[in-house]
Amino acid sequence: MSSSSDFQQDRHSFSGSPQKWTDFELPGDTLYYRFTSDMSNTEWGYKFTVTAGHLGRFQTGFEILKQMLSEERVIPHLPLAKIWEWQVGVACRQTGHQRLKAIHLLLKIVQCSSQGDCDFTLLKPLWQLFTHMENNSCHDTAKPGILLPLHRALTELFFVTENRVTELGSLQEYLLALNTEDHLHRCTAQ
């Protein structure tokens, strides 16, 4: 079982008796599974139960972290570098509303971070998603000027982050880290 169709992300493999199976969580809203029989028995296979996300996990963590980032007196006591790294990973793995909430928290962290709190270059996977969305929106003439919520959220995140790294004096390093060499060559040629 996996959260990706190529079975490379969040992969869980089980074989043998049901006692060897354990509960696990997958991020996102889609589960991919593959059943392969070795034909050694005439049993019917396996049965598993899928349950939608538990309110007490992602939502609770989101609310707690959002509240902590809203309290100015708490922020200096938070390990923002670790929270940033973790939250970027969450935003990359999640989909739908959970991804939007993760990006919302990233935005709050950027706004309250100080010199060296966050490694902004970790945003590269989200930058690639954003530039892909940008390229596709330019070609979508059916709905000109209308951005999807994720596109809007990423636009705001990268606008605020660019302003923040400019204030910190590290804009050039940030832009070089996010872009590929091929992209930089194309921009230079333009």
Side-chain angles (χ1 to χ4, degrees), residues 133-153:
M133 294 178 91
E134 282 285 298
N135 292 336
N136 287 344
S137 71
C138 293
H139 302 299
D140 188 5
T141 56
K143 298 177 186 174
I146 297 176
L147 296 180
L148 297 172
L150 177 59
H151 195 164
R152 285 195 316 266

Side-chain angles (χ1 to χ4, degrees), residues 10-182:
D10 308 303
R11 183 181 175 146
H12 298 271
S13 297
F14 300 98
S15 178
S17 68
Q19 289 74 27
K20 293 182 180 179
W21 287 57
T22 59
D23 287 350
F24 63 91
E25 285 187 47
L26 288 179
D29 59 1
T30 305
L31 162 78
Y32 296 90
Y33 69 94
R34 182 182 308 146
F35 175 78
T36 306
S37 172
D38 63 5
M39 297 190 197
S40 63
N41 290 326
T42 56
E43 305 291 328
W44 63 270
Y46 287 98
K47 176 182 177 183
F48 58 91
T49 304
V50 177
T51 306
H54 300 285
L55 180 61
R57 295 185 180 162
F58 182 90
Q59 187 63 30
T60 300
F62 168 78
E63 293 297 334
I64 291 170
L65 190 51
K66 183 175 85 171
Q67 187 62 40
M68 290 174 72
L69 291 169
S70 298
E71 298 287 332
E72 286 186 32
R73 59 187 168 81
V74 174
I75 292 171
H77 305 286
L78 295 175
L80 283 183
K82 281 306 230 183
I83 293 171
W84 173 261
E85 184 179 337
W86 172 77
Q87 199 60 37
V88 170
V90 169
C92 291
R93 286 189 310 272
Q94 293 296 337
T95 60
H97 289 293
Q98 289 183 342
R99 177 177 273 171
L100 286 173
K101 288 179 177 184
I103 291 170
H104 172 78
L105 291 176
L106 288 174
L107 189 57
K108 288 183 89 51
I109 294 170
V110 170
Q111 292 167 333
C112 67
S113 68
S114 61
Q115 182 81 26
D117 278 343
C118 304
D119 180 358
F120 294 118
T121 63
L122 294 175
L123 291 173
K124 186 170 186 165
L126 291 175
W127 176 255
Q128 291 169 340
L129 173 63
F130 175 68
T131 55
H132 177 74
M133 294 178 91
E134 282 285 298
N135 292 336
N136 287 344
S137 71
C138 293
H139 302 299
D140 188 5
T141 56
K143 298 177 186 174
I146 297 176
L147 296 180
L148 297 172
L150 177 59
H151 195 164
R152 285 195 316 266
L154 288 171
T155 300
E156 184 176 6
L157 175 65
F158 286 109
F159 177 75
V160 171
T161 302
E162 186 176 322
N163 286 336
R164 187 74 183 118
V165 295
T166 301
E167 291 171 6
L168 297 172
S170 55
L171 180 62
Q172 184 175 355
E173 295 85 9
Y174 167 74
L175 293 175
L176 287 172
L178 291 188
N179 289 289
T180 63
E181 190 173 323
D182 184 46

